[in-house]
Amino acid sequence: MSKHNHKTQPDDIKESKVDENHKVEVNNEQPNEVKATEVDKLEQAINEIKKLQELVQTKDDHINKLQEEINKINHDYITKITEKTNEANATLKAKIDELTNKANQELTIHKKYALEKQATALIDIINQFSLALDYKPSDPNIAKYQSGFQMFLVMFKNLLVELGINEIPVNIGDEFNPEIMECIEFVHSNELSDNKVARIITKGYKLHDRLIKPIAVNIVRKKS
């Protein structure tokens, strides 16, 4: 019994070896098929990656182009805004300068003619004072007083000159000028022609270049 078992065992082993050899052959064929499939898949994956890379590059190029356009639009916008801002600033500065100059001119004029009312009142007093001094008294004592008052009159007139108030020059026989003269009365004259100054009633004055007191005169008017 033991011998039979011993004899059959090698056959089993032999069969087993055959099966194992067969299995080895089968197993040797499967890796080649797997490798071919994996290569195809790898090539497909590489192709897909290339396509994706090309797509990404196309998208990047498009994005870069859009970014350049955006940068240009932003640059143009900033340039226009800067130009408009500069124009607005220049206009505003010009307007401010204009208003400032106008205000300074008005202030200068105001200062220049600020004394007009006070000067007019002072001139009226001086004119009345001058009329009183034109009287020629026969009494020597009164004449002496008049001489002293004449000094005060000169001082008043000097003060007017310092304030920019100047007497308007006029003489008997001058042509009547309505811009600086005021006719008080028409008179007849054998020596003077029509429209000539026959008498100066009161002096006229200007504050700088502005007439503040016209010359009061009598004018010659011939009878028709």
Side-chain angles (χ1 to χ4, degrees), residues 105-119:
Q105 290 175 1
E106 291 178 353
L107 181 60
T108 301
I109 292 172
H110 177 73
K111 290 180 178 179
K112 189 175 182 180
Y113 301 108
L115 297 175
E116 182 173 353
K117 291 183 179 180
Q118 293 85 345

Side-chain angles (χ1 to χ4, degrees), residues 127-139 142-147 150 199:
N127 279 336
Q128 293 298 323
F129 195 43
S130 181
L131 285 173
L133 293 177
D134 284 342
Y135 172 70
K136 303 299 181 183
S138 56
D139 190 335
I142 296 176
K144 188 182 294 185
Y145 280 115
Q146 274 192 333
S147 178
Q150 284 287 354
R199 182 187 174 193

Side-chain angles (χ1 to χ4, degrees), residues 69-86:
E69 293 178 356
I70 291 172
N71 292 339
K72 184 178 184 302
I73 292 172
N74 288 338
H75 179 268
D76 293 343
Y77 177 76
I78 292 172
T79 300
K80 289 180 180 179
I81 289 295
T82 302
E83 290 176 355
K84 293 296 181 182
T85 301
N86 292 337

Side-chain angles (χ1 to χ4, degrees), residues 89-195:
N89 288 337
T91 302
L92 181 61
K93 184 179 182 302
K95 192 64 178 178
I96 291 174
D97 291 342
E98 179 185 349
L99 293 175
T100 301
N101 292 334
K102 185 177 180 180
N104 289 334
Q105 290 175 1
E106 291 178 353
L107 181 60
T108 301
I109 292 172
H110 177 73
K111 290 180 178 179
K112 189 175 182 180
Y113 301 108
L115 297 175
E116 182 173 353
K117 291 183 179 180
Q118 293 85 345
T120 302
L122 182 59
I123 287 169
D124 289 338
I125 295 172
I126 291 174
N127 279 336
Q128 293 298 323
F129 195 43
S130 181
L131 285 173
L133 293 177
D134 284 342
Y135 172 70
K136 303 299 181 183
S138 56
D139 190 335
N141 291 324
I142 296 176
K144 188 182 294 185
Y145 280 115
Q146 274 192 333
S147 178
F149 287 130
Q150 284 287 354
M151 293 176 59
F152 286 113
L153 182 61
V154 171
M155 292 173 63
F156 279 129
K157 289 184 176 181
N158 289 338
L159 175 61
L160 292 181
V161 172
E162 290 178 5
L163 296 174
I165 304 167
N166 295 289
E167 182 180 310
I168 302 171
V170 62
N171 296 301
I172 302 297
D174 287 349
E175 189 75 19
F176 175 71
N177 183 356
E179 293 184 358
I180 59 173
M181 297 179 185
E182 180 182 11
C183 180
I184 303 301
E185 184 181 1
F186 290 108
V187 297
H188 177 74
S189 174
N190 294 323
E191 293 81 15
L192 300 172
S193 58
D194 272 356
N195 215 40

Side-chain angles (χ1 to χ4, degrees), residues 111-113 163-166 206-212:
K111 290 180 178 179
K112 189 175 182 180
Y113 301 108
L163 296 174
I165 304 167
N166 295 289
K206 283 185 176 182
L207 177 57
H208 301 293
D209 56 348
R210 179 183 294 179
L211 179 68
I212 58 174

Side-chain angles (χ1 to χ4, degrees), residues 29-67:
E29 292 178 358
Q30 286 180 351
N32 291 331
E33 294 179 358
V34 170
K35 287 180 180 179
T37 303
E38 291 296 330
V39 168
D40 290 340
K41 289 182 178 180
L42 183 60
E43 289 179 351
Q44 290 178 359
I46 291 172
N47 290 333
E48 290 297 327
I49 290 172
K50 287 181 177 179
K51 289 180 181 180
L52 288 174
Q53 287 176 336
E54 291 175 356
L55 181 60
V56 169
Q57 184 62 46
T58 302
K59 294 294 183 181
D60 286 343
D61 294 341
H62 184 62
I63 289 172
N64 290 333
K65 185 177 180 181
L66 290 176
Q67 187 62 49

